[in-house]
C-alpha cells in the first residue's frame, strides 16, 4: 500500500459545527503533515507530527486541533471555523521528519472544506 | 528570503508537443528539489526529487534538471498528452527542519 487516504472527500459545515478530517497511511512512515491550500495558491504547512508527537505548529488558530492516535492515523478536529477557512486540506507523510536526501513527502487527495 | 519562482505562470500547448517549465530558487541551506504534478482539487503527486549532487533525473516522459550553481531547475515534458494538463509545482526542501518552500506552480493545458 503506497498511498495516503483522506476522508471525507468533501465537507460542508456551519460555523458552529464540530467536525473531523481523517488521514491514514500504511507505508510505515513516522512523520505526518497537515497542509491548507487555497485556490491557485501553493500548500501552506499547518502541523507536523513525528513519531506520534506534535513537533511543529505553524501558529495555527486553536479552532484547528490535530491528533495522532497512532503511527498510521492523523486527524484534524475542526470547531467554530470561519468562512475564510474554506480550502483544500491536504495530509502528507514521509519516512521521517526533515528534508534530508530522498525523504519524500507523499500527499493524500485532500478534503475540500466549505464553511458556511 | 527563501523563495521559489516558477515560469511561465501558465502555458497552453498542442498534444504531442514538448515543453519546458522553469524554476529559480533562493533557498538556503538547500537539501533537495522536487517537482510535483497537481490535478485540480487533488493532492500533489511526486514526479522527481533531486539532491545537491544530481543534475538530471527522468520519470517516463518527465525529465528534471538541476543546476545548483545558478539555483535553477527545469522540467521537460516530452510528447505531451491531454492527461498532462495540471499544475506543476517546484518545491525546495531546506536542509534543517521540515520546511518545504513551494513555488506558485505553472498551469499547463494540453489541447487536442
Amino acid at each position: 500500500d503506497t498511498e495516503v487516504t483522506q476522508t471525507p472527500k468533501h465537507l460542508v459545515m456551519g460555523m458552529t459545527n464540530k467536525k473531523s478530517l481523517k488521514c491514514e497511511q500504511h507505508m510505515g512512515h513516522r512523520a505526518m503533515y497537515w497542509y491548507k491550500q487555497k485556490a491557485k495558491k501553493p500548500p501552506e504547512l499547518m502541523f507536523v507530527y513525528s513519531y506520534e508527537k506534535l513537533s511543529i505548529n505553524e501558529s495555527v488558530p486553536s479552532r484547528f486541533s490535530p491528533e495522532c492516535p497512532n503511527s498510521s492515523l492523523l486527524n484534524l478536529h475542526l470547531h467554530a471555523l470561519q468562512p475564510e477557512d474554506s480550502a483544500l486540506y491536504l495530509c502528507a507523510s514521509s519516512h521521517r521528519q526533515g528534508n534530508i536526501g530522498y525523504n519524500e513527502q507523499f500527499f493524500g487527495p485532500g478534503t475540500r472544506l466549505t464553511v458556511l | 528570503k527563501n523563495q521559489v519562482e516558477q515560469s511561465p505562470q501558465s502555458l497552453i500547448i498542442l498534444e504531442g508537443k514538448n515543453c519546458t517549465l522553469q524554476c529559480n530558487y533562493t533557498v538556503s541551506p538547500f537539501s533537495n528539489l522536487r517537482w510535483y504534478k497537481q490535478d485540480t482539487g487533488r493532492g500533489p503527486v511526486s514526479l522527481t526529487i533531486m539532491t545537491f549532487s544530481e543534475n538530471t533525473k527522468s520519470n517516463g516522459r518527465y525529465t528534471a534538471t538541476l543546476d545548483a550553481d545558478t539555483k535553477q531547475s527545469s522540467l521537460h515534458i516530452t510528447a505531451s498528452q491531454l492527461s498532462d494538463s495540471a499544475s506543476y509545482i517546484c518545491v525546495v526542501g531546506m536542509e534543517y527542519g521540515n520546511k518545504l518552500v513551494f513555488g506558485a506552480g505553472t498551469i499547463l493545458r494540453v489541447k487536442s
Side-chain angles (χ1 to χ4, degrees), chain A residues 37 97-99 101-102 105, chain B residues 31-32 36 38 43 54 98-99:
Chain A
Q37 186 177 25
Q97 185 173 331
N99 295 319
Y102 297 102
Q105 281 191 30
Chain B
S31 174
N32 50 53
Y36 284 91
Q38 186 174 24
E54 296 174 291
N98 292 281
K99 271 288 194 184

Side-chain angles (χ1 to χ4, degrees), chain A:
Chain A
D1 189 350
T2 58
E3 65 172 359
V4 176
T5 59
Q6 290 187 244
T7 55
K9 288 185 180 179
H10 302 276
L11 178 62
V12 179
M13 60 186 291
M15 290 189 283
T16 58
N17 292 156
K18 283 186 181 181
K19 296 286 184 183
S20 296
L21 309 185
K22 181 179 172 181
C23 172
E24 195 166 359
Q25 57 86 15
H26 295 287
M27 294 180 277
H29 291 172
R30 303 313 297 270
M32 297 185 78
Y33 311 76
W34 279 116
Y35 288 86
K36 173 183 177 180
Q37 186 177 25
K38 302 285 273 185
K40 299 187 179 180
K41 297 286 187 183
E44 298 173 11
L45 183 65
M46 300 174 72
F47 303 103
V48 181
Y49 272 83
S50 178
Y51 290 87
E52 294 92 71
K53 288 188 174 12
L54 183 65
S55 65
I56 292 181
N57 176 342
E58 289 284 326
S59 303
V60 179
S62 59
R63 57 186 184 269
F64 295 92
S65 174
E67 178 197 19
C68 190
N70 60 56
S71 59
S72 300
L73 281 176
L74 184 67
N75 298 321
L76 186 63
H77 303 297
L78 314 172
H79 174 54
L81 295 193
Q82 304 296 312
E84 58 264 29
D85 295 322
S86 299
L88 181 69
Y89 287 84
L90 295 166
C91 174
S93 71
S94 61
H95 278 292
R96 61 188 187 283
Q97 185 173 331
N99 295 319
I100 301 299
Y102 297 102
N103 191 31
E104 187 69 62
Q105 281 191 30
F106 294 83
F107 285 84
T111 293
R112 172 68 62 191
L113 174 67
T114 303
V115 182
L116 302 176

